[in-house]
Amino acid sequence: DISACLVGSEMCIRDRWKKVVEQYADAPEAPEADLEWGRALARGHDMQGALSRWEHLILTYPSSALVPQARHEVEVAHGSATS
């Protein structure tokens, strides 16, 4: 589980979120994992990867309460890309 990851180990945490999204896509935690995976990618300056995760969340889980947050992240990313 995520608590087994070393503190500050973004790669370990991203791997856990990836596992949730890819292996447990029907789990209620999957949209949150997608959102946070995207945020972790953005912190690592992988904006294409981050956008891919957020767009995946929006398209795959359209009724999720996290869709507005994902849309906001996309808007912010597009805004920072044009600055």
Side-chain angles (χ1 to χ4, degrees), residues 6-64:
L6 297 173
V7 174
S9 177
E10 282 282 325
M11 184 175 291
C12 179
I13 293 169
R14 281 194 310 252
D15 289 346
R16 301 300 173 152
W17 287 323
K18 179 180 180 192
K19 182 176 182 175
V20 171
V21 171
E22 292 178 349
Q23 295 182 11
Y24 305 100
D26 294 332
E29 296 83 5
E32 182 177 6
D34 232 352
L35 180 67
E36 294 303 329
W37 184 8
R39 288 176 173 164
L41 290 168
R43 283 191 299 275
H45 306 287
D46 179 0
M47 293 313 296
Q48 280 304 112
L51 286 167
S52 176
R53 296 304 351 133
W54 298 324
E55 290 168 357
H56 179 265
L57 187 161
I58 293 165
L59 295 173
T60 306
Y61 309 103
S63 61
S64 170

